[in-house]
Amino acid sequence: MEYCENWEQIRKKFLEYWAMENHDRPLVSIRAPKDRQEIKPESRHSSLKERWMDTEYVLKSSNWEMRNTYYGGEAFPSLNPNLGPDYFAACFGTKLEFGEDTSWSVPFLTDEDVEEYQGFMLCRQNEYYKKMLEITQAAVEDGKGKYLVGVTDIHPGLDGLVSMRGPQELCMDTLDQPEFIQKGAMDLLPGFREIYEELYTMTTKYQEGSTCWMGIWHPGRWYPTCCDFSCMISTQMYEELVVGELLEELDFLDASIYHLDGPDALKHLDRLLAIDKLKGIQWVYGAGQPTASHWIPVLKKIQDAGKMIQIDVVPEELDIMLENLKPEGVMYTMNARTEEEGRALMKKVERYKR
């Protein structure tokens, strides 16, 4: 692989990770800007939407980023086509607004739509649906022998509903219209399967296995599961409104790591750890919260349940993490300030080897 000289070694480590047989050390994904930087491709677009939807620019800017990034440990170059976290809802008619670094939905479901709910229809002729296929196909062709191509960010279930309905309105629906939420979440499931399957088929044309925004590779059909909306609901509501759809997603996939986002979501951890088919937890402590080393008890609980872990770690606390957690099934992701710091972190991990 042009942008990754040691891919076969990385591939082997990920196989060990999924089997929880990386006994020598945890996996680490270290990224840093290379010492010598090329000039970034200039955007001459008339709007942010035009820039996001410009396939040629996506390829140019992504190749620039990969050429100018130091990859340490199990970090690897990948292009993950992206139209923002509400892309899935947009495939069902939600309008997107684009910012500099993300996009967001403009909810459209009214109270009347919910009361007279008749189901959802995937819009295959939708501009966002077609654009994602275009970007993914272009990336697959461009990335041959250079980098991996991931499956885009897809949020079905209650996260898909909140993009269509709005967070405040969906919170009220949990009390007033729970039947709509249960049926709506399940009705979105075929769309998730269809979109994932189409993109997975495209991305595996020239590469083995799958990857995504989480920076993890798997030899089969893997994808994160999540429900960020779960921060807003009780454990009882989570059981009634989320778990059934989540289990269907897990049955569809070969493997999944759950994206558990923020302290308010921790109340659902016990339920997640009880799901046999769920392989692991990505713990995201969130902006403004204590960093990874402050969550050792939570991480040990995940380990004791026999689940994998992925977590962001600031370089200064790597020693603490290495000392307190077993390596099996653990992956740390770190952003180093310089290439030199990235190499030093990798040497520290190598010295840890059992």
Side-chain angles (χ1 to χ4, degrees):
M1 194 183 299
E2 183 178 336
Y3 297 154
C4 182
E5 297 178 355
N6 60 332
W7 169 246
E8 282 305 315
Q9 181 181 342
I10 292 172
R11 177 186 177 281
K12 180 181 177 183
K13 292 299 294 184
F14 274 113
L15 292 176
E16 292 177 358
Y17 174 61
W18 285 106
M20 300 186 73
E21 293 179 353
N22 55 305
H23 304 298
D24 57 341
R25 65 168 177 82
L27 272 68
V28 290
S29 174
I30 303 171
R31 285 176 166 81
K34 283 186 175 178
D35 296 336
R36 299 184 64 178
Q37 293 282 305
E38 302 173 9
I39 297 175
K40 186 176 182 178
E42 185 179 358
S43 168
R44 298 181 180 274
H45 303 94
S46 60
S47 69
L48 287 169
K49 179 179 179 180
E50 182 182 322
R51 191 195 75 192
W52 279 77
M53 302 283 277
D54 184 343
T55 301
E56 183 178 354
Y57 181 77
V58 169
L59 295 182
K60 285 183 178 179
S61 58
S62 296
N63 274 272
W64 171 86
E65 181 176 359
M66 287 182 274
R67 286 195 305 269
N68 288 273
T69 298
Y70 160 77
Y71 297 99
E74 283 64 57
F76 58 89
S78 64
L79 193 163
N80 300 300
N82 178 35
L83 292 175
D86 296 317
Y87 158 75
F88 179 72
C91 293
F92 290 85
T94 307
K95 181 182 176 182
L96 295 181
E97 297 286 349
F98 290 89
E100 187 67 33
D101 300 312
T102 190
S103 67
W104 55 91
S105 65
V106 180
F108 69 93
L109 289 179
T110 65
D111 291 345
E112 184 177 354
D113 292 330
V114 170
E115 292 167 4
E116 301 178 4
Y117 174 67
Q118 298 295 316
F120 296 115
M121 180 175 293
L122 181 64
C123 308
R124 293 183 63 89
Q125 297 306 310
N126 175 287
E127 65 172 324
Y128 303 115
Y129 188 101
K130 293 195 293 184
K131 178 57 66 173
M132 184 53 63
L133 296 183
E134 177 187 308
I135 295 174
T136 301
Q137 182 60 44
V140 166
E141 296 289 342
D142 179 68
K144 286 185 289 187
K146 294 196 295 185
Y147 56 81
L148 300 185
V149 179
V151 174
T152 194
D153 200 3
I154 311 172
H155 288 267
L158 270 65
D159 286 347
L161 291 177
V162 78
S163 299
M164 301 176 183
R165 179 74 167 129
Q168 182 174 331
E169 290 76 10
L170 197 68
C171 279
M172 297 303 298
D173 292 338
T174 62
L175 301 174
D176 301 333
Q177 300 286 349
E179 298 84 2
F180 156 71
I181 295 179
Q182 287 175 320
K183 189 171 190 323
M186 296 304 290
D187 286 349
L188 289 174
L189 189 62
F192 166 73
R193 293 189 184 118
E194 185 174 340
I195 291 173
Y196 181 91
E197 190 64 37
E198 188 159 17
L199 296 177
Y200 175 79
T201 300
M202 293 174 70
T203 57
T204 53
K205 185 175 181 180
Y206 300 118
Q207 69 186 41
E208 176 194 10
S210 57
T211 188
C212 63
W213 59 267
M214 202 178 280
I216 293 174
W217 175 84
H218 184 278
R221 298 147 52 98
W222 110 265
Y223 202 72
T225 43
C226 71
C227 181
D228 289 344
F229 184 75
S230 69
C231 292
M232 311 290 288
I233 59 177
S234 68
T235 55
Q236 180 179 342
M237 282 187 176
Y238 189 83
E239 187 70 40
E240 295 171 354
L241 303 178
V242 178
V243 171
E245 192 275 343
L246 172 61
L247 294 176
E248 291 286 341
E249 285 187 49
L250 292 171
D251 283 342
F252 169 71
L253 298 165
D254 292 329
S256 180
I257 294 174
Y258 190 95
H259 168 76
L260 189 64
D261 195 346
D264 289 338
L266 276 177
K267 56 181 174 281
H268 307 302
L269 179 59
D270 287 345
R271 182 64 182 93
L272 291 166
L273 296 180
I275 300 175
D276 289 339
K277 194 164 185 183
L278 184 64
K279 296 288 188 180
I281 302 290
Q282 182 197 48
W283 170 232
V284 180
Y285 37 82
Q289 295 294 328
T291 52
S293 62
H294 296 81
W295 301 97
I296 295 293
V298 170
L299 299 172
K300 285 187 173 181
K301 183 176 185 177
I302 296 170
Q303 277 203 324
D304 290 344
K307 302 297 187 184
M308 301 160 61
I309 292 171
Q310 192 204 42
I311 187 168
D312 285 346
V313 173
V314 296
E316 293 77 14
E317 61 186 353
L318 178 58
D319 286 328
I320 300 174
M321 307 305 291
L322 293 173
E323 291 168 5
N324 282 275
L325 293 180
K326 297 178 292 186
E328 289 84 0
V330 173
M331 181 178 182
Y332 302 126
T333 61
M334 290 174 281
N335 291 315
R337 289 172 283 268
T338 65
E339 189 173 342
E340 180 182 7
E341 182 184 47
R343 295 184 188 281
L345 288 168
M346 196 60 228
K347 287 181 181 178
K348 181 179 291 187
V349 173
E350 292 290 342
R351 287 197 299 269
Y352 164 84
K353 274 189 175 182
R354 290 180 174 181

